[in-house]
Amino acid sequence: MSIKVDNNKIIFTRTFNTTVENVFKSYTDEQLFKSWFHPEGGSTEIFKFDVRGGGDAFFAIHTSEGTSYTVTKYNKVVAPSTIDYFDYFADSEGNINKNMAGMHNIINLNQINKDETEIESVSVLPDAQSAQDLLNMGVEAGMNSTFDNLEKLIVTL
């Protein structure tokens, strides 16, 4: 995985040996998403999962360090190439934490060839300091580990 920081944006890029349809399905199918969208050794518990423009999701990621809750609001979902959404930290009831910055994410899926797909995940934060704070929290290691889980899932599809 490569990572690039551009002011208030963190751009993650990784290539997977599968079709763009399989990667898209891994983000939009509840059972598939649940099986990979967490760091190694963690788990994802889904309370709501409506992946479409105007839809939303609410889920928990459980790790040995604790549990984090996320509310996702989908802006635009275009199969099989784009998922555009906002993520917010939340409490266990799904109430958005107003003290923490939300993050605008744009997932672009690019079919490189028949059996290779590149994920470009752009996380847009309110300012450069918020992006740096997220990096300091270990988001790069977390993304790498999560994408490793996706890699394992993809070989089963």
Side-chain angles (χ1 to χ4, degrees):
M1 181 181 83
S2 70
I3 184 170
K4 176 182 163 190
V5 179
D6 180 10
N7 192 20
N8 66 326
K9 296 178 186 155
I10 305 171
I11 304 161
F12 304 95
T13 307
R14 183 152 162 186
T15 300
F16 293 87
N17 294 321
T18 192
T19 65
V20 69
E21 290 82 9
N22 280 344
V23 176
F24 184 81
K25 191 165 122 177
S26 298
Y27 273 97
T28 59
D29 176 281
E30 182 175 346
Q31 291 308 309
L32 294 177
F33 182 86
K34 179 180 175 177
S35 73
W36 74 273
F37 198 82
H38 48 266
E40 184 67 36
S43 65
T44 301
E45 181 180 7
I46 297 176
F47 306 106
K48 184 175 184 181
F49 199 75
D50 182 15
V51 183
R52 62 179 174 82
D56 56 355
F58 172 44
F59 57 91
I61 296 178
H62 305 285
T63 68
S64 59
E65 287 89 37
T67 299
S68 66
Y69 295 90
T70 300
V71 169
T72 299
K73 298 192 178 286
Y74 294 95
N75 300 318
K76 180 170 79 170
V77 177
V78 181
S81 62
T82 307
I83 305 168
D84 180 320
Y85 61 96
F86 280 89
D87 262 346
Y88 303 94
F89 288 101
D91 65 17
S92 61
E93 301 297 314
N95 300 304
I96 294 170
N97 183 340
K98 304 284 187 202
N99 297 322
M100 297 192 72
M103 183 171 32
H104 182 198
N105 297 286
I106 304 119
I107 308 291
N108 295 303
L109 306 176
N110 304 304
Q111 187 83 49
I112 296 170
N113 60 47
K114 184 170 125 327
D115 294 319
E116 274 191 318
T117 300
E118 178 187 77
I119 295 177
E120 178 192 62
S121 176
V122 180
S123 299
V124 183
L125 290 112
D127 51 49
Q129 186 58 55
S130 297
Q132 188 58 53
D133 290 347
L134 197 60
L135 289 167
N136 293 344
M137 287 172 54
V139 72
E140 182 176 4
M143 259 324 243
N144 248 329
S145 181
T146 300
F147 277 163
D148 288 347
N149 288 339
L150 178 57
E151 188 92 50
K152 292 173 193 166
L153 170 67
I154 280 172
V155 300
T156 69
L157 300 180

